[in-house]
Amino acid sequence: MGSLSYDPRDPRVHADPYPGYEALREHDPVHFVPGARVWFLTRHSDCLAVLCDPRLSARHGQRLRRRDTALPTSMLNTDPPDHTRLRRAAAPAFRPRALREHGRWLVPLVGAWMGRVREAARAGREVDLAAEFARPLALRVVAGLLGLPEEDLPDFDGWAGAVAGNLDPFAAPAGGGEAAMAAMCDRFADHLFSRLTAPRPDAFTVLAGACSDGTLAPAEAMATAGLLVVGGVEPLGDMIVNAVAAMLADPGRWRDLAGSGAAPARTATEELLRIDPPIQFTARTATEDLVVGGRSIRRGDGVVPLLGAANRDPARFTRPGRLDLRRRVNPHLSFGAGPHACLGAPLVRMVGRLLVTAVRECTAEPRPGGGPAFHRPGTVPRGYASLPLRWS
């Protein structure tokens, strides 16, 4: 099977990785690249096993990162016990009680932005869903989670855009990215320590409490807040746009979402999360010899579960390439699995369900606009730089 290959840096792969995933899964589902000593996994069962196996290290998995700037120490690139401590410190910001508090501002926020879409539909105006709707909404969701005041939003917008590239393990350092992260963390420090005397229902208060009780060092709290920005703004915006693009590819699905007898919001949201996730892969390194999918993996080898491939494994999903908004059994891996499963998944799901519910109040159906739709360059997250829409 030497003719088969997978390179996440290839622009063609980034634009549409799914045909390549299918070929690998059929002919070489545990695919080895000898020069890099990296294994790529495309079966759901293998990806799930690796994500849950403590012998596969996320910290050492960062060795696969091919760029000069290292990520600050955070939940993303640590193993237990440090990972457990860092995750436990931030977890209260995403528990049910906190989500109920977030709902107080999320519901009107999503409603206001959907109102803008309805106004554009009534006016017959073309809208770039990525630039004019999804990313600005995602920016405000993360700002609300942190508890940033309105006057910080212009600066936060610039910082979030500059630091977003840190998630891409192959990207060249973006101009000003490190300076933006430093400036952002300076402002975050002001908010963090103000919460010690004036707590609020936001993530800064949670992190301030963890600093106060000694669970987190201040630098770790800043790194955690930075991770919420890097792993939140662009991926959340991409989740929204990728979902709409998937429905545009099959216009009949819009009626399943918004028509009479529409699919339940929770069911539809999970399927929209599955079909084209922004985070297509994650990296681990084997800390001892082991066997995955019948192949012998040596200590020190890199192992990359391809989450987008797992989400379309026909052994786990019926008609996996079809967007089925009524799919009831949906164990997708868009948020990963195991100890490193995305901590913010409950908030993303909440936003998704609010958007699905709000869409049902919009009677017009979106169509591709006159301008070109195209993806951003890079590998992580996978999303659109532009997706023009008009309405019927």
Side-chain angles (χ1 to χ4, degrees):
M1 300 303 167
S3 61
L4 290 175
S5 64
Y6 171 77
D7 184 351
R9 298 166 296 181
D10 187 329
R12 294 168 298 179
V13 171
H14 185 66
D16 185 6
Y18 298 105
Y21 293 160
E22 185 176 354
L24 281 176
R25 190 188 305 109
E26 182 178 354
H27 299 291
D28 193 15
V30 185
H31 176 70
F32 187 51
V33 179
R37 295 210 60 80
V38 175
W39 302 82
F40 291 102
L41 313 180
T42 50
R43 291 187 296 218
H44 186 282
S45 58
D46 295 334
C47 291
L48 180 60
V50 163
L51 292 171
C52 297
D53 193 328
R55 298 173 295 176
L56 279 299
S57 167
R59 180 169 69 90
H60 294 304
Q62 293 300 307
R63 294 173 183 170
L64 301 179
R65 188 175 173 84
R66 295 289 184 263
R67 56 184 298 174
D68 296 332
T69 54
L71 289 172
T73 300
S74 69
M75 290 176 281
L76 185 67
N77 54 12
T78 51
D79 298 322
D82 285 337
H83 172 266
T84 307
R85 175 178 58 83
L86 294 171
R87 186 179 177 96
R88 184 179 295 130
F94 300 98
R95 288 177 181 155
R97 180 178 177 180
L99 291 177
R100 288 192 294 271
E101 290 292 335
H102 298 329
R104 297 178 186 273
W105 54 266
L106 260 179
V107 172
L109 175 65
V110 171
W113 281 88
M114 285 303 300
R116 298 187 182 194
V117 171
R118 288 191 290 272
E119 289 174 7
R122 285 194 294 268
R125 182 172 70 85
E126 185 168 298
V127 170
D128 186 333
L129 185 71
E132 295 182 53
F133 177 79
R135 188 185 181 279
L137 175 58
L139 188 84
R140 285 182 171 267
V141 168
V142 176
L145 169 68
L146 293 168
L148 292 177
E150 187 74 21
E151 58 266 25
D152 275 7
L153 289 181
D155 287 339
F156 183 54
D157 188 1
W159 294 329
V163 304
N166 282 339
L167 205 57
D168 189 338
F170 304 110
E178 291 186 31
M181 180 64 81
M184 186 173 72
C185 286
D186 281 346
R187 185 75 56 83
F188 282 5
D190 294 338
H191 293 303
L192 180 75
F193 291 108
S194 74
R195 298 304 195 272
L196 293 173
T197 54
R200 297 170 51 187
D202 58 33
F204 278 133
T205 298
V206 170
L207 296 175
C211 287
S212 181
D213 67 18
T215 303
L216 292 182
E220 292 174 328
M222 290 297 96
T224 300
L227 178 61
L228 294 178
V229 176
V230 173
V233 175
E234 293 290 355
L236 177 56
D238 290 336
M239 181 273 287
I240 296 169
V241 183
N242 291 0
V244 173
M247 288 194 294
L248 291 176
D250 187 354
R253 300 285 73 76
W254 194 262
R255 290 187 292 274
D256 290 341
L257 184 69
S260 60
R266 184 182 301 272
T267 304
T269 298
E270 293 304 313
E271 179 68 349
L272 292 168
L273 288 166
R274 177 193 72 88
I275 196 67
D276 191 15
I279 308 301
Q280 288 278 315
F281 59 83
T282 187
R284 300 288 187 269
T285 294
T287 59
E288 59 183 80
D289 295 349
L290 66 154
V291 175
V292 175
R295 303 292 297 273
S296 296
I297 293 176
R298 297 176 56 187
R299 180 175 180 267
D301 285 356
V303 182
V304 178
L306 296 171
L307 307 178
N311 282 0
R312 298 199 185 192
D313 185 350
R316 195 66 189 86
F317 301 94
T318 303
R319 300 178 67 185
R322 180 177 184 269
L323 181 66
D324 180 1
L325 297 175
R326 299 177 184 278
R327 190 183 299 274
R328 294 190 177 276
V329 180
N330 202 337
H332 64 76
L333 298 181
S334 298
F335 295 120
H340 283 271
C342 177
L343 185 62
L347 182 67
V348 175
R349 286 184 160 107
M350 185 177 183
V351 173
R353 290 195 295 269
L354 288 173
L355 286 169
V356 167
T357 301
V359 159
R360 292 173 177 166
E361 301 174 11
C362 185
T363 57
E365 183 172 343
R367 305 287 187 189
F374 56 92
H375 286 87
R376 287 193 312 273
T379 58
V380 180
R382 180 174 182 269
Y384 285 82
S386 178
L387 183 68
L389 294 183
R390 57 184 175 83
W391 282 266
S392 57

